[in-house]
């Protein structure tokens, strides 16, 4: 009797601890029971998920989706887009959510929507403005979504202002800023070739560079005007024979390009310590290439210096 009485006193004094222990054991039992029942629910939900995937496959065109993720379910991103999950399904409610997500992704693919397209256009343009010309071209070749983003007219306008000039902000190119950027870049390369020919003192290359027409004109820094193809080429022959080759430093290059004509203005230096030359080159587009039709070179006089600098080219 004394033992039973002692036990009852002990139980009464530790009653909260006993209750907490019982609750903990019950919780563990419920957790174990749920753990063993989870695979069965996952197997049961398998056909429903498969059915959702089949609907997604039927709604998706048979051709490539042109997305930036793998479509064979090997990556985590692809698995998410295809509506599958890494772990087992929790129940019918979540199965319905997965099916709804699949339908949403399919609808977005059919309508052309994407994460890139959902961004504010100004943010996309600002992000692409940090890329240079080769990088933007490579980006456009990755997939259809990046091609659409990289072909945005505002992105090419920003790149044009960064690489060339802000003077033509009000210009509205007929074929868009991407085509205008490419045309400007092409005429810049042609203009660079002009100075390479002078540096090499190559008369055959200069002869091919000019358009064979009687209205072409050349004004050298001496101020002498030469008109007509033959006279212009003869003036360059004299310049190459009399003068040593020059390594021009070209600065402040500005170009304006139209479909069939373009002109480039620049400052050139033979020696950075002496006065520069103001130069203008006018090109015409014929038979798939640009030809020089007018060249004008003028010595810039600084600080009242009236000394005549006679330099051909």
């Amino acid at each position: 009797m004394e033992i039973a009485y002692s036990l009852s006193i002990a139980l009464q004094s530790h009653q909260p601890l006993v209750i907490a222990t019982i609750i903990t054991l019950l919780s563990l039992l419920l957790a174990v029971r749920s753990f063993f029942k989870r695979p069965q629910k996952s197997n049961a939900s398998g056909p429903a998920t498969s059915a959702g995937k089949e609907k997604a496959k039927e709604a998706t065109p048979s051709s490539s989706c042109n997305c930036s993720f793998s479509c064979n379910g090997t990556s985590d991103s692809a698995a998410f887009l295809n509506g599958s999950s890494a772990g087992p399904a929790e129940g019918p409610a979540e199965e319905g959510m997965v099916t709804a997500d699949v339908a949403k992704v399919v609808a977005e693919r059919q309508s052309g929507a994407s994460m890139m397209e959902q961004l504010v256009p100004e943010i996309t343009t600002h992000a692409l403005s940090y890329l240079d010309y080769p990088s933007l071209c490579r980006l456009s070749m990755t997939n259809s979504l990046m091609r659409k983003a990289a072909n945005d007219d505002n992105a090419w306008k920003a790149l044009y202002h960064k690489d060339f000039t802000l003077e033509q902000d009000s210009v509205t190119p007929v074929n868009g800023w991407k085509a205008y950027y490419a045309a400007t870049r092409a005429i810049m390369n042609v203009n660079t070739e002009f100075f390479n020919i002078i540096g090499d003192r190559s008369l055959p290359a200069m002869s091919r560079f000019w358009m064979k027409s009687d209205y072409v004109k050349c004004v050298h820094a001496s101020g002498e005007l030469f008109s007509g193809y033959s006279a212009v080429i003869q003036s360059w022959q004299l310049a190459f024979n009399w003068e040593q080759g020059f390594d021009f430093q070209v600065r402040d290059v500005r170009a304006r390009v139209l479909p069939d004509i373009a002109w480039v203005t620049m400052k050139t230096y033979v020696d950075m310590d002496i006065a520069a030359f103001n130069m203008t080159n006018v090109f015409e587009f014929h038979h798939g290439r640009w030809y020089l039709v007018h060249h004008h070179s003028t010595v810039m006089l600084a600080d009242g210096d009236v000394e005549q600098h006679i330099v051909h080219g």
Side-chain angles (χ1 to χ4, degrees):
M1 292 296 293
E2 292 181 359
I3 295 175
Y5 178 76
S6 299
L7 288 175
S8 63
I9 296 298
L11 289 176
Q12 289 178 1
S13 60
H14 296 84
Q15 184 175 4
L17 179 61
V18 173
I19 295 175
T21 303
I22 294 174
I23 293 175
T24 301
L25 291 175
L26 290 175
S27 299
L28 289 175
L29 290 175
L30 290 174
V32 171
R33 184 173 178 272
S34 299
F35 176 79
F36 284 105
K37 286 190 175 183
R38 283 168 65 95
Q40 297 178 359
K41 290 185 178 181
S42 176
N43 294 333
S45 63
T49 306
S50 300
K53 290 183 179 180
E54 292 297 329
K55 291 181 180 179
K57 290 181 180 179
E58 293 176 0
T60 306
S62 58
S63 60
S64 175
C65 64
N66 292 327
C67 60
S68 58
F69 304 101
S70 173
C71 296
N72 57 9
T74 57
S75 65
D76 294 338
S77 300
F80 174 77
L81 288 176
N82 291 329
S84 61
S85 59
E90 292 295 334
E94 294 196 1
E95 293 169 14
M97 292 174 62
V98 170
T99 305
D101 290 340
V102 172
K104 182 178 180 181
V105 171
V106 172
E108 288 180 351
R109 287 181 179 178
Q110 291 177 343
S111 63
S114 67
M115 294 179 64
M116 177 66 75
E117 292 172 332
Q118 291 174 8
L119 289 176
V120 178
E122 289 77 5
I123 296 179
T124 304
T125 301
H126 181 73
L128 296 181
S129 67
Y130 289 96
L131 301 179
D132 57 8
Y133 171 73
S135 299
L136 198 57
C137 291
R138 293 189 188 101
L139 179 67
S140 66
M141 294 186 291
T142 55
N143 57 56
S144 61
L145 300 181
M146 292 298 100
R147 180 168 62 251
K148 184 175 181 179
N151 287 337
D152 181 75
D153 207 46
N154 291 325
W156 285 97
K157 182 179 180 180
L159 184 62
Y160 181 91
H161 290 162
K162 182 176 69 174
D163 289 354
F164 300 126
T165 177
L166 294 172
E167 294 177 350
Q168 303 179 35
D169 183 66
S170 60
V171 172
T172 304
V174 177
N175 298 319
W177 280 99
K178 181 179 181 180
Y180 192 65
Y181 182 98
T184 304
R185 190 177 181 88
I187 204 65
M188 290 290 196
N189 292 336
V190 172
N191 192 69
T192 301
E193 183 182 352
F194 171 74
F195 290 99
N196 292 336
I197 293 173
I198 294 177
D200 296 337
R201 302 169 66 186
S202 174
L203 187 63
M206 185 63 77
S207 301
R208 294 188 298 268
F209 196 76
W210 281 83
M211 182 177 176
K212 294 182 178 180
S213 178
D214 57 356
Y215 62 81
V216 298
K217 290 178 172 56
C218 179
V219 181
H220 291 284
S222 62
E224 189 173 0
L225 170 64
F226 298 89
S227 183
Y229 177 78
S230 298
V232 168
I233 299 304
Q234 288 177 5
S235 72
W236 284 107
Q237 183 177 13
L238 292 174
F240 292 157
N241 290 337
W242 291 349
E243 304 289 348
Q244 62 181 357
F246 294 104
D247 184 14
F248 283 101
Q249 301 295 321
V250 183
R251 300 288 187 271
D252 298 331
V253 183
R254 299 289 185 268
R256 178 76 171 101
V257 185
L258 298 178
D260 297 324
I261 190 171
W263 55 93
V264 184
T265 61
M266 70 220 83
K267 293 179 181 179
T268 59
Y269 300 83
V270 177
D271 187 344
M272 298 299 291
D273 295 331
I274 64 176
F277 298 89
N278 277 329
M279 287 190 182
T280 301
N281 286 336
V282 182
F283 300 89
E284 286 187 5
F285 193 79
H286 294 279
H287 309 295
R289 56 160 291 185
W290 291 100
Y291 291 92
L292 185 62
V293 297
H294 185 93
H295 169 75
H296 194 114
S297 178
T298 304
V299 178
M300 293 177 58
L301 300 180
D303 300 329
D305 185 9
V306 295
E307 181 182 357
Q308 185 72 26
H309 301 271
I310 303 176
V311 178
H312 292 281

